[in-house]
Each structure stands twice: as C-alpha cells, then as structure tokens.
Amino acid sequence: MKRWVRIAVLAASIGGLALQAGALEDGAPLTPEAVKTRWHSRLAGRHFAALVHLSMDLGGIHEERELHVWRTDEAVGAERVMVRFTQPESVRNVGVLFLEQQGRPNDYFLYQPDLKRVRRLPQTVANDDVYGIDLEFLGFGVAQSEPTEIESMERESLEGRPAYKLTEQALRENPRFDERVTWIDAETFIPMRTEQFQKGKRRLVARTIETRPMHGVETPVRMEFENQLDRRKVQLLVNDVDYEVAIPDEYFSTLALVRASIAGSGH
C-alpha cells in the first residue's frame, strides 16, 4: 500500500463553516469561553454534503485528488464525517469515517477497496497520515480534535477584519499540538488562521483564503495548509456544498464504508 499522506489542515476546519454571529445581545464583550463555544457550535445541528478538490505538494510530489464529504452533527461534540475518494484511480473508493467522541479518543475507520476490508485506525495514526486528509478540517473545523484549555485571548485585526486571537494549551499529550493559536473572525466565527505548535516549533499553518455565502451559510471555499516540519502543502477547494440534502444515518457507519455505491450517490 502506498505511503499515507496527511494534509496538514483540514481544519477547523475543512478551517470552518459558520453561522452569522456577533457580540452578545446586551453589547457586553465576549469572554474567551464564549468565543470558543461560538466557534465550535456554529454548525450545531447542521449537516452538509460537499464536493472537495485537493491540490497537494508532498515533498516535491504533486497530486490532485477529489472526494465527496458528508457531515452531520446532532449536538456539539457529536460530529460525524464520511469521506469517499473519487480521483485519482489509485485511491478511488477509499473511504474514511470519523466519529467524534466525548470523554474518550475519537473513532477513525478506513476502508481500502483493494483489501476489501474496514480497519479501525489508532488515533495516533489517524492524526498523522490518512490519505492526505485531516477529517477535522473536512468537517469544516467544528470538531474538537483535542481537549484544550484557553491560555489567553486578544482582539486583533487579520487582513483588515476584526478577529479574536485565541491561544490554547492541549490537556493531554498528542501528535497534533501542545499549543494552538487560532484567529477567529469576529463576525462569522470562522477560523481564518490556525497555527499548531509542538515543543515550541510551528508544525502546521492553516489559512482560510476565501469564504462565500452558499445556501445562506458563509462558507470557506478555499483553504491552504502547510505542514512546516514535513514541507507539505495542500490547497483545498470546496466546489459544491448542499446544506439541505437528506443524509441517511447509515452513511455514518462502517457498513457504508464498503458500499461503493455511496461514491456515486452525489449530493
């Protein structure tokens, strides 16, 4: 099997989709905890189906990939994401399932069509190399990949827009980060820039380059990710998003991973 590659995130989100939100109704400044809650809950109760294109530079090797993404979330902390690759032929019908869990490690499952079997991925592996995708960002950045505590928050301007700069510390050792800094748009609560640090070194930079209203939801449609330690770069383009399509619960099951028909079911 060819070596797995990770896009250095996907996410927040896919850097994140967002509901319109502003300051508290009474005009009082938002607390750091309130900013974090609005960030992670902006898609609470929503679902979507998306068509995504990845342009990947992996240590000098360039590859283009296309995939379908289905995402649902009945409540904060209950995100489910299904991914099915369609191009290139070498990864066609590869499926990945992410199930967010509270109080224990998240679940990751991989379907490899050449082996015709589903396997559970240890979180350490899923966080590092899963066919060039980071499921947190493909879910548009609302999942809590690692439990954190807020260290500080500042008001800043990012590319001419007011933003909250949120610095967090990871509560447990993990391969992603021990410190994360996120610039969250003050109007949409989309994470516009994320920097992950591991032992003082900047590991990952994720930027939301372009957002666009789609079906009434302000949506990140172009994101860039750079894993600075491994010198990997990924550009993510969201070609289509449907927030109204019905998505059966069975899509988010290990049985669905082996059903190639889902790959052609569209949005």
Side-chain angles (χ1 to χ4, degrees):
M1 172 182 172
K2 62 185 296 184
R3 186 178 183 273
W4 296 352
V5 290
R6 163 191 177 81
I7 58 177
V9 179
L10 278 246
S13 246
I14 268 144
L17 302 176
L19 300 176
Q20 297 291 329
L24 293 175
E25 292 182 1
D26 61 5
L30 291 177
T31 65
E33 291 75 14
V35 169
K36 183 176 180 178
T37 296
R38 293 197 181 194
W39 165 20
H40 288 291
S41 65
R42 68 187 182 279
L43 286 181
R46 285 185 174 267
H47 66 268
F48 65 77
L51 179 62
V52 174
H53 182 90
L54 300 178
S55 181
M56 312 174 70
D57 184 358
L58 308 169
I61 300 175
H62 185 80
E63 186 167 313
E64 305 286 325
R65 294 182 179 178
E66 290 187 356
L67 53 149
H68 287 291
V69 181
W70 295 269
R71 181 263 182 192
T72 190
D73 181 14
E74 291 83 11
V76 176
E79 185 177 22
R80 297 179 291 168
V81 179
M82 166 70 83
V83 172
R84 180 76 71 177
F85 286 89
T86 59
Q87 297 292 336
E89 192 62 32
S90 60
V91 295
R92 183 174 176 81
N93 284 332
V94 167
V96 185
L97 175 65
F98 165 74
L99 303 174
E100 186 179 18
Q101 305 292 346
Q102 293 296 298
R104 63 185 180 87
N106 298 324
D107 288 325
Y108 299 84
F109 298 92
L110 170 70
Y111 173 65
Q112 299 166 262
D114 53 337
L115 300 178
K116 296 183 179 180
R117 70 185 183 96
V118 175
R119 58 183 295 226
R120 181 191 293 270
L121 297 178
Q123 187 161 5
T124 53
V125 173
N127 285 345
D128 185 44
D129 291 298
V130 184
Y131 284 90
I133 61 173
D134 180 322
L135 296 177
E136 176 188 346
F137 288 95
L138 276 180
F140 299 121
V142 292
Q144 172 98 317
S145 61
E146 292 293 338
T148 62
E149 63 179 3
I150 298 172
E151 184 178 82
S152 65
M153 186 180 78
E154 303 173 41
R155 291 297 302 267
E156 290 193 356
S157 177
L158 182 65
E159 298 181 359
R161 292 182 61 88
Y164 298 99
K165 179 185 176 183
L166 203 64
T167 301
E168 302 170 275
Q169 295 290 333
L171 292 177
R172 63 189 181 192
E173 187 175 347
N174 70 87
R176 285 178 181 266
F177 61 87
D178 48 43
E179 181 180 78
R180 179 174 66 192
V181 182
T182 309
W183 285 260
I184 302 164
D185 186 273
E187 180 182 357
T188 65
F189 288 84
I190 293 174
M192 302 304 294
R193 182 181 178 92
T194 300
E195 297 183 357
Q196 295 179 354
F197 294 85
Q198 190 71 270
K199 297 180 180 179
K201 294 184 178 180
R202 185 184 289 107
R203 172 184 170 273
L204 171 70
V205 176
R207 297 187 299 147
T208 300
I209 306 300
E210 180 183 356
T211 67
R212 185 185 309 156
M214 302 183 74
H215 308 286
V217 179
E218 192 67 25
T219 302
V221 295
R222 184 159 67 96
M223 287 162 277
E224 292 181 351
F225 310 98
E226 181 178 2
N227 186 318
Q228 297 190 341
L229 295 182
D230 296 338
R231 297 182 180 179
R232 299 174 181 174
K233 296 181 180 181
V234 175
Q235 182 177 93
L236 183 149
L237 298 175
V238 179
N239 293 328
D240 187 30
V241 177
D242 189 336
Y243 295 99
E244 304 300 330
V245 64
I247 305 177
D249 284 344
E250 64 191 46
Y251 269 39
F252 305 103
S253 67
T254 54
L255 180 61
L257 281 173
V258 304
R259 293 177 177 171
S261 60
I262 286 183
S265 61
H267 297 356

